[in-house]
């Protein structure tokens, strides 16, 4: 179930726009066709990413139906996550370097940063962190 933000939550907003101005296939101009909003927890507080989506203005181009978003969004978070990379790395570090329990991480996030994440969300983040860590160890290059 999607996280329900408390009424009146004040978000730090980040506006992103794709860097490209011309289509890769036909060199036509890209136009803004929609916006995507993504709310998440970061150590800066609740954050809302407003990402402008662009598509090719040429109706005969194959890219006309495909939308492009900013690559910078992936530097902040993954599209389906409720937390930024900063919170994700913090959880993974506490879980695997300091051997904290999920409950201990949950309580510290709430007490120190006012970030309320469920036990399941923290556990899933720890598993993803472990997967990324093991992949890095298998191929250091």
């Amino acid at each position: 179930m999607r996280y329900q933000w408390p009424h009146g939550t004040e978000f730090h907003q980040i506006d992103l726009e794709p860097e490209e101005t011309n289509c890769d296939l036909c060199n036509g101009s890209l136009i803004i066709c929609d916006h995507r909003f993504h709310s998440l927890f970061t150590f800066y507080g609740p954050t809302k990413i407003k990402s402008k989506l662009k598509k090719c203005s040429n109706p005969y181009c194959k890219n006309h139906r495909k939308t492009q978003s900013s690559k910078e969004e992936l530097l902040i978070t993954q599209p389906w996550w409720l937390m930024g990379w900063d919170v994700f790395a913090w959880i993974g570090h506490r879980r695997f370097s300091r051997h904290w329990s999920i409950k201990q991480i949950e309580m510290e996030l709430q007490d120190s940063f006012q970030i309320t994440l469920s036990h399941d969300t923290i556990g899933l983040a720890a598993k993803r962190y472990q997967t990324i860590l093991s992949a890095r160890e298998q191929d250091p290059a």
Side-chain angles (χ1 to χ4, degrees), residues 31-111:
I31 57 171
I32 296 173
C33 62
D34 203 357
H35 294 83
R36 178 176 50 228
F37 297 93
H38 185 164
S39 301
L40 63 142
F41 287 107
T42 65
F43 287 137
Y44 298 109
T47 303
K48 183 173 281 192
I49 300 172
K50 178 182 174 183
S51 186
K52 295 179 181 177
L53 304 176
K54 289 186 174 182
K55 69 176 183 179
C56 182
S57 60
N58 180 0
Y60 302 106
C61 180
K62 289 183 181 180
N63 279 346
H64 180 66
R65 295 186 184 264
K66 295 180 183 177
T67 57
Q68 297 180 14
S69 62
S70 175
K71 294 177 178 114
E72 292 177 14
E73 189 172 359
L74 294 177
L75 298 175
I76 301 169
T77 186
Q78 288 290 322
W80 58 91
W81 283 5
L82 184 58
M83 67 191 82
W85 283 108
D86 54 350
V87 177
F88 175 77
W90 186 91
I91 289 171
H93 177 72
R94 296 303 183 280
R95 181 74 174 129
F96 295 105
S97 293
R98 297 188 180 178
H99 308 289
W100 284 16
S101 69
I102 300 294
K103 187 66 176 175
Q104 191 175 5
I105 293 170
E106 182 181 356
M107 297 307 293
E108 184 65 24
L109 282 171
Q110 178 62 42
D111 292 343

